[in-house]
């Protein structure tokens, strides 16, 4: 059965209030829609541990740094609802902008430190938008559990930090990145790639795996990074915003994986920005 689609906060509160009174675990999966198997893996994880599950679909204008990017973002609500049918979730919450940012809205949630690197630098204001909307979605849904993908690892760390700092009674669960058969991390933005660009896109993940293997053999990171940048260029990639080795917890730059570390990349391919990260 197609899950109920709720568009207003009062409609949402009407279904969550009795759950809350019964002390139920309410799982929330925040998304911007254009759902793929990566999103659906979060839904499955939520179903496995929660009494009730709500998927939110909200293309959050505050986390976009370009109006063109916001306008081009894929919107496939009917298809999304169909993909969710088999999970038997309780509701899809699709608020309009006024439900989240009513007139006079003046509050921003801002996380320091973790947001001062990588996408925090390349997409100014992005994480303030994310932190603010996630805080709103947690309180609006009365979530006890929330599910995020490691695909957006920096975002997962930021959300974990804010939930802890603001004493939000939500357990933040991180779930592994789901990939296409050729290694490309699933992303709603992959829909924007031309056929030609799509065939080249897996090179980003291939180069990251190559570096991870080299690090395992104690090869020099900088040397491998330069070679990878060169090959990405030859494969038709444009600007590489970053290709960094960083600590998995505080995201500090490393030159060797001397503590639990991850490789992080953001690169442009035919006008589409791809991001990925892997543990090393
Ligand atoms: P988005 O709709 O892109 O904002 O993503 C919504 C949630 O799905 C975020 O927690 C993402 O990290 C997660 N997600 C997106 N792509 C993947 C993927 N390939 N594997 C696992 N989780 C993902």
């Amino acid at each position: 059965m197609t899950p109920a689609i709720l568009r207003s906060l009062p409609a949402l509160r009407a279904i969550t209030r009795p759950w809350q009174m019964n002390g139920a675990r309410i799982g929330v999966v925040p998304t911007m829609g254009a759902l793929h198997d990566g999103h659906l893996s979060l839904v499955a994880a939520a179903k496995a541990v929660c009494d009730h599950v709500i998927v939110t679909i909200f293309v959050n204008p505050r986390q976009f740094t370009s109006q063109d990017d916001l306008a081009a973002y894929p919107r496939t609500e009917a298809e999304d609802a169909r993909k969710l049918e088999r999970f038997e979730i309780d509701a899809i919450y699709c608020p309009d902008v006024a439900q989240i940012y009513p007139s006079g809205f003046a509050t921003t949630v801002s996380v320091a430190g973790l947001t001062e690197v990588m996408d925090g630098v390349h997409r100014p204001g992005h994480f303030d938008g994310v932190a603010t909307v996630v805080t709103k979605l947690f309180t609006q849904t009365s979530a006890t559990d929330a599910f995020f993908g490691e695909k957006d690892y920096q975002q997962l760390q930021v959300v974990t930090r804010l939930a802890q700092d603001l004493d939000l009674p939500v357990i933040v669960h991180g779930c592994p990145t789901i990939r296409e058969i050729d290694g490309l991390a699933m992303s709603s933005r992959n829909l924007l790639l031309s056929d030609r660009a799509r065939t080249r896109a897996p090179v980003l993940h291939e180069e990251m795996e190559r570096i991870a293997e080299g690090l395992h053999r104690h090869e020099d990171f900088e040397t491998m990074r330069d070679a990878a940048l060169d090959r990405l260029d030859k494969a038709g990639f444009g600007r590489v915003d970053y290709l960094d080795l960083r600590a998995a917890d505080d995201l500090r730059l490393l030159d060797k994986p001397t503590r639990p570390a991850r490789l992080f990349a953001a690169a442009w391919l035919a006008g589409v920005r791809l991001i990925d990260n892997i543990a090393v």
Side-chain angles (χ1 to χ4, degrees):
M1 215 176 60
T2 312
I5 298 184
L6 309 176
R7 299 192 188 276
S8 75
L9 182 55
L12 178 65
R13 289 254 157 91
I15 67 157
T16 56
R17 204 171 294 118
W19 300 344
Q20 252 188 315
M21 290 197 317
N22 291 332
R25 275 179 86 169
I26 304 174
V28 172
V29 180
T31 81
M32 298 205 298
L35 301 184
H36 50 64
D37 284 351
H39 297 115
L40 300 180
S41 74
L42 306 183
V43 179
K47 280 295 291 186
V49 295
C50 296
D51 302 306
H52 301 283
V53 174
I54 300 169
V55 173
T56 71
I57 299 180
F58 179 61
V59 182
N60 175 30
R62 292 194 181 217
Q63 73 187 68
F64 284 81
T65 34
S66 128
Q67 284 304 311
D68 290 347
D69 189 24
L70 173 61
Y73 201 83
R75 287 167 173 82
T76 60
E77 187 185 298
E79 177 79 348
D80 292 347
R82 202 189 52 71
K83 286 182 183 163
L84 289 168
E85 273 173 20
R86 68 185 160 100
F87 293 93
E88 302 187 336
I89 62 169
D90 295 81
I92 307 176
Y93 181 47
C94 297
D96 57 28
V97 173
Q99 297 298 307
I100 303 289
Y101 305 118
S103 129
F105 188 86
T107 301
T108 298
V109 180
S110 192
V111 177
L114 289 169
T115 62
E116 287 155 23
V117 298
M118 298 192 287
D119 281 1
V121 175
H122 289 278
R123 306 182 67 193
H126 169 71
F127 285 118
D128 283 1
V130 169
T132 304
V133 81
V134 164
T135 306
K136 293 276 299 192
L137 291 170
F138 283 3
T139 54
Q140 289 195 345
T141 58
S142 316
T144 62
D145 295 79
F147 297 80
F148 289 85
E150 287 181 347
K151 158 81 189 344
D152 302 282
Y153 191 88
Q154 188 175 11
Q155 167 176 282
L156 169 62
Q157 296 302 92
V158 168
V159 171
T160 303
R161 183 81 250 161
L162 87 84
Q164 193 178 326
D165 289 355
L166 299 180
D167 305 310
L168 301 180
V170 181
I171 301 169
V172 176
H173 302 257
C175 303
T177 301
I178 306 298
R179 298 181 179 281
E180 303 287 356
I181 218 109
D182 57 15
L184 176 66
M186 289 189 184
S187 165
S188 307
R189 285 202 161 80
N190 295 350
L191 294 174
L192 305 174
L193 291 169
S194 65
D195 289 350
R196 191 177 143 87
R198 174 63 189 81
T199 61
R200 294 168 173 200
V203 174
L204 183 62
H205 179 247
E206 283 164 25
E207 290 301 333
M208 294 173 76
E209 288 291 350
R210 194 196 286 248
I211 293 176
E213 285 162 24
L215 287 170
H216 206 70
R217 293 189 299 266
H218 305 288
E219 288 174 26
D220 177 58
F221 173 64
E222 286 297 325
T223 311
M224 288 189 289
R225 180 176 183 274
D226 289 346
L229 291 175
D230 204 41
R231 282 189 297 265
L232 285 167
D233 183 54
K234 292 202 171 80
F237 277 76
R239 194 172 79 226
V240 176
D241 284 345
Y242 52 82
L243 178 50
D244 290 351
L245 179 65
R246 290 182 179 269
D249 52 4
D250 58 15
L251 306 182
R252 274 176 212 270
L253 268 183
L254 301 175
D255 53 10
K256 290 188 185 70
T258 43
R259 42 198 272 224
R262 300 185 82 89
L263 264 176
F264 293 89
W268 290 85
L269 177 63
V272 180
R273 188 171 186 270
L274 303 177
I275 63 169
D276 203 348
N277 71 92
I278 57 172
V280 296

